[in-house]
Amino acid sequence: MDIKLDPSRDDLPLMANTSHILVKHYVLDLDVDFESQIIEGTLVLFFESGNRYRKKSSSTEETCQSESDEACKFRTPEPCHVPVTNTRTFSSKMGYNDFAIYGKGEKDTSGKDGNHDNQEQASGISSSKYCCDTGNHGSEDFLLVLDCCDLSVLKVEEVDVAAVPGIEKFTRSPKLTVVSELRNQIVHELVTLPADRWREQLDHYARCSQAPGCGELLFDTDTWSLQIRKTGAQTAIDFPHAIRIRYRTKPQGRSVTWTSDQSGRPCVYTMGSPINNRALFPCQEPPVAMSTWQATVRAAASFVVLMSGENSAQPTQLREGCSSWHYYVTMPMPASTFTIAVGPWTEVKPETCSPNDQAAKRPFSPSEADFRCASICGHVEYPCRFQNASATTQEIIPHRVFAPGCLRGACQETLLQLVSPCLSAAHSVLGTHPFSRLDVLIVPANFPSLGMASSFLTSVCPDQDSLTCGPCYKAFLFKFACPNSPHIVFLSQSTLTGGSHLCGTRLCHEIAHAWFGLAIGARDWTEEWLSEGFATHLEDVFWAKAQQQLAPHEAQEQQELRACLRWRRLQDELRNSPEQLQVLRPSKEKTGHVTDSGSSVVKHGLNPEKGFMQVHYLKGYFLLRFLARRLGDDTYFSFLRKFVHTFHGQLILSQDFLQMLLENIPEEKRS
């Protein structure tokens, strides 16, 4: 197939300057309005400055140009008025739009309501050469760059965390007289609290997020980013370490989908868009920006709010007809893993409770943890379940199932009976569940990337034995191609119509992502096989163990049949897709590389053809299948458990897996 790839349209830019400054925690406070199809509220970001903010790029293609270049000025937020002569300059040739301070007679490109929207451009940015080093350049102000798209940014301000009562205990140096330095020190002490004080940390984050503003910041947006600066703050260390952004989403924003469930009632949720969450809230998208978050979401009382969160939230009634839901995450994760779903869901509960169900309902809190030596983990400090004696033996984590009311019966018959055995099977293979709980949601039939696959499956695959044949298998996998998220799994309603086999294998695939894709993430998003290849291989392994009624030889025959059908699917894809999109590491030796500022691109990340391709699923699957057969199950899965224990909570590249594999392969099995 002769398809010409265009980097200006195919590559996804990651604009955030994560080498200079990192978001450590997000606090979201949002209102969901179904009538206007808008999510509106505030986002407070807590930062820690990086260790490379002073470094200048050695490449002229990756750095800002001299002040003789065309000036890039900022829109001045009201009511602060900054003279044009005070603005600094930086390159406008790297993909940014020119900025202007709107005075009398000047053109204002903000929305009619006065909001500043992401500018719509005909084409994106072609390659990593667009990336601008936004660190300190002599007398210029430091520029914070966040990934942002399809949002209306209303206001950006510094947060006066020093005004929070009792916060003075976070000020170690009484000699600090500069208020801005005092605020930044408070944030530094807060983000670096030890893991056993996580409850206190979350409480202080919440209190600081409600502190008053202490000065509006200059900001502007372009197609892919939000840029913020503070006059006189020349380095990341000087830049405010706690800022508040007031914004609203757009109905057509590409990170969320407004639709109706199977009963015709409105709902909204993140759709697994190629642009991830930048149209849901301004954030740092690069995987290296590992952060925690907490969110309060208000919606009509008839709606249920589900979200990536360690707690099984319950609604709090604020006033008649309005409820509030609160979730939090203490394990640092990329912002792309944040997921939200709001709709009139019904929790599906078993008619009778089995012993497994009773055990799963018991909540597990990290505060009860019997922590072992923290040195056994290689990740940054957080309340880690791998260090907790009770968590390591928890075969079945607490879980809930939600669906539209009309599918309640189907869920009780099929899905509800499978969650516990699938979770138990996964634990028997890989050990400790990385996350403390799981919600499973049956998504609406008209979900854009699932509706096609759903209807295709229903009409083409009336029985479970034909599920992995030809083009149907391609559609079958595509519907699960959205980014992974902790604590919540989306399943298509089609999984309920194919019997326990279809529902079970899909559930096992998504459960496998808790280890591969979430607990262990790819440092470069082009290495999708590190998530999807492992999940595809492990879904067979988990499902074989979960099907207790199958004899071992029957389970083996089932896996062999699926392998045969997958091989046919891979051959078909290799014959009928662009060769450039078949490469597992399209960036080759530059995989994992970023500019001095931390910005980069995801090669082919926006290419629509790539969304339908399964190379990263199938090539990865066959590699792992070969290794398991070559080494033997005992040796291979023993190594896999060791790999998980070594790298959980971290980001990896392919070479990390392959190097550890070579170091652990017995000598007699290397040839």
Side-chain angles (χ1 to χ4, degrees):
M1 182 179 296
D2 185 19
I3 297 179
K4 187 175 182 180
L5 301 179
D6 181 359
S8 68
R9 292 183 294 112
D10 293 342
D11 295 345
L12 173 67
L14 304 178
M15 304 288 284
N17 51 342
T18 54
S19 293
H20 305 313
I21 193 167
L22 284 172
V23 178
K24 304 301 290 185
H25 190 77
Y26 297 93
V27 179
L28 296 98
D29 189 68
L30 304 173
D31 291 281
V32 180
D33 185 350
F34 281 95
E35 185 175 348
S36 61
Q37 296 190 342
I38 285 175
I39 299 175
E40 182 174 3
T42 61
L43 169 72
V44 177
L45 304 90
F46 296 86
F47 297 98
E48 184 79 325
S49 51
N51 58 7
R52 295 174 56 194
Y53 72 95
R54 295 181 182 276
K55 184 177 179 181
K56 294 184 180 181
S57 172
S58 59
S59 169
T60 57
E61 292 180 329
E62 296 177 352
T63 60
C64 298
Q65 303 300 312
S66 68
E67 299 217 8
S68 60
D69 286 341
E70 185 176 359
C72 297
K73 304 173 183 178
F74 284 77
R75 170 181 182 263
T76 306
E78 297 295 338
C80 301
H81 299 282
V82 180
V84 175
T85 54
N86 285 350
T87 59
R88 306 296 181 181
T89 59
F90 73 100
S91 175
S92 62
K93 297 181 179 180
M94 303 301 177
Y96 293 112
N97 289 338
D98 295 342
F99 303 151
I101 292 180
Y102 306 125
K104 293 182 179 180
E106 294 183 90
K107 183 179 180 181
D108 185 346
T109 59
S110 62
K112 293 181 180 180
D113 55 0
N115 306 331
H116 204 73
D117 297 345
N118 287 92
Q119 300 296 311
E120 299 294 336
Q121 293 183 343
S123 62
I125 298 164
S126 61
S127 71
S128 61
K129 294 182 179 181
Y130 79 84
C131 301
C132 180
D133 184 2
T134 52
N136 179 24
H137 293 273
S139 61
E140 295 181 4
D141 291 331
F142 171 77
L143 183 71
L144 170 69
V145 181
L146 299 174
D147 294 291
C148 177
C149 182
D150 300 340
L151 294 176
S152 295
V153 179
L154 312 178
K155 181 180 180 181
V156 182
E157 65 180 349
E158 182 177 359
V159 178
D160 188 7
V161 295
V164 176
I167 203 70
E168 57 272 3
K169 65 181 178 180
F170 291 109
T171 57
R172 288 188 176 183
S173 176
K175 297 181 180 179
L176 284 178
T177 57
V178 180
V179 178
S180 60
E181 293 180 3
L182 179 65
R183 296 187 189 111
N184 284 358
Q185 185 193 70
I186 290 172
V187 174
H188 171 75
E189 295 297 327
L190 179 56
V191 302
T192 55
L193 280 178
D196 59 1
R197 296 174 64 183
W198 65 272
R199 289 189 185 275
E200 177 188 1
Q201 186 182 48
L202 286 176
D203 178 63
H204 282 293
Y205 277 136
R207 294 170 62 198
C208 287
S209 70
Q210 297 169 11
C214 54
E216 294 192 39
L217 303 177
L218 307 175
F219 71 93
D220 214 306
T221 59
D222 63 17
T223 304
W224 292 111
S225 69
L226 167 65
Q227 306 100 34
I228 305 168
R229 73 174 178 86
K230 179 181 179 180
T231 302
Q234 296 185 3
T235 70
I237 288 179
D238 301 327
F239 189 81
H241 281 30
I243 67 171
R244 182 185 294 112
I245 301 173
R246 177 166 290 280
Y247 75 100
R248 66 168 61 109
T249 64
K250 297 181 179 180
Q252 71 274 21
R254 285 167 281 175
S255 294
V256 294
T257 292
W258 299 86
T259 184
S260 299
D261 70 3
Q262 289 84 341
S263 300
R265 296 176 295 180
C267 59
V268 61
Y269 46 95
T270 50
M271 61 175 293
S273 166
I275 69 169
N276 296 310
N277 281 326
R278 67 183 72 185
L280 177 60
F281 61 94
C283 57
Q284 291 183 329
E285 285 281 20
V288 70
M290 308 268 279
S291 60
T292 54
W293 59 76
Q294 60 195 100
T296 299
V297 178
R298 290 170 294 277
S302 58
F303 291 94
V304 172
V305 177
L306 302 178
M307 194 184 303
S308 312
E310 294 166 16
N311 58 312
S312 297
Q314 297 297 325
T316 300
Q317 185 170 346
L318 300 178
R319 58 185 181 275
E320 186 176 357
C322 181
S323 295
S324 174
W325 302 70
H326 181 77
Y327 290 87
Y328 62 82
V329 165
T330 61
M331 176 182 176
M333 307 274 299
S336 59
T337 63
F338 181 93
T339 296
I340 185 173
V342 184
W345 325 120
T346 298
E347 182 176 358
V348 183
K349 298 181 180 180
E351 295 180 355
T352 58
C353 291
S354 67
N356 282 342
D357 294 326
Q358 293 289 350
K361 285 181 179 179
R362 289 196 291 269
F364 180 87
S365 172
S367 63
E368 303 167 2
D370 178 19
F371 286 110
R372 305 193 198 106
C373 177
S375 63
I376 64 173
C377 294
H379 53 68
V380 297
E381 190 179 9
Y382 66 84
C384 176
R385 288 174 55 83
F386 286 82
Q387 298 179 39
N388 185 284
S390 299
T392 57
T393 58
Q394 190 179 26
E395 295 182 16
I396 304 171
I397 56 176
H399 52 272
R400 304 181 296 181
V401 173
F402 292 87
C406 61
L407 295 177
R408 181 174 181 175
C411 286
Q412 284 181 324
E413 291 179 13
T414 306
L415 175 59
L416 206 58
Q417 312 302 320
L418 296 174
V419 182
S420 289
C422 289
L423 287 170
S424 180
H427 180 273
S428 70
V429 176
L430 294 179
T432 307
H433 287 283
F435 303 101
S436 58
R437 69 173 197 94
L438 179 67
D439 283 340
V440 181
L441 173 65
I442 300 298
V443 292
N446 57 352
F447 184 51
S449 62
L450 299 186
M452 177 184 64
S454 176
S455 60
F456 196 25
L457 277 171
T458 303
S459 59
V460 180
C461 294
D463 64 271
Q464 65 186 45
D465 293 329
S466 60
L467 289 175
T468 53
C469 60
C472 182
Y473 183 63
K474 185 175 184 179
F476 177 60
L477 283 177
F478 170 64
K479 65 181 181 177
F480 295 98
C482 60
N484 311 313
S485 178
H487 315 109
I488 185 169
V489 163
F490 292 167
L491 290 181
S492 166
Q493 71 172 47
S494 62
T495 61
L496 303 177
T497 61
S500 61
H501 178 87
L502 171 57
C503 190
T505 54
R506 288 300 88 201
L507 185 59
C508 285
H509 183 101
E510 298 307 315
I511 288 174
H513 278 311
W515 286 267
F516 293 95
L518 291 171
I520 301 175
R523 203 169 82 203
D524 189 310
W525 279 342
T526 61
E527 294 209 289
E528 296 163 274
W529 82 271
L530 290 171
S531 171
E532 299 300 350
F534 276 94
T536 303
H537 183 242
L538 288 169
E539 74 176 65
D540 287 357
V541 179
F542 292 175
W543 182 236
K545 288 186 174 292
Q547 295 180 99
Q548 298 177 356
Q549 74 277 14
L550 280 186
H553 73 276
E554 291 178 312
Q556 182 64 31
E557 289 174 358
Q558 192 178 89
Q559 291 185 41
E560 292 297 328
L561 174 61
R562 290 170 66 84
C564 180
L565 295 172
R566 285 171 174 147
W567 180 251
R568 288 173 53 190
R569 173 67 252 159
L570 179 59
Q571 288 181 310
D572 178 65
E573 187 157 293
L574 294 177
R575 287 192 298 265
N576 296 284
S577 61
E579 185 176 350
Q580 301 97 313
L581 298 183
Q582 300 173 12
V583 181
L584 289 185
R585 305 182 84 221
S587 299
K588 299 178 181 178
E589 69 278 358
K590 292 185 177 180
T591 301
H593 289 196
V594 298
T595 68
D596 278 3
S597 72
S599 55
S600 62
V601 296
V602 180
K603 197 73 174 171
H604 311 313
L606 294 176
N607 187 284
E609 178 76 6
K610 187 173 181 293
F612 288 91
M613 295 189 64
Q614 301 306 316
V615 163
H616 47 287
Y617 289 79
L618 300 177
K619 283 189 175 181
Y621 161 80
F622 281 110
L623 170 62
L624 298 172
R625 174 180 163 85
F626 165 78
L627 291 174
R629 293 166 71 91
R630 178 66 177 170
L631 300 178
D633 284 351
D634 290 344
T635 299
Y636 174 73
F637 287 108
S638 176
F639 159 74
L640 211 55
R641 285 188 289 272
K642 182 178 180 180
F643 179 77
V644 166
H645 201 276
T646 301
F647 284 103
H648 70 273
Q650 301 175 65
L651 302 173
I652 64 168
L653 297 174
S654 293
Q655 51 262 44
D656 296 311
F657 172 74
L658 297 175
Q659 180 177 345
M660 186 171 176
L661 178 68
L662 291 173
E663 291 172 353
N664 286 268
I665 290 180
E667 190 67 34
E668 64 273 13
K669 295 188 177 182
R670 292 195 176 192
S671 58

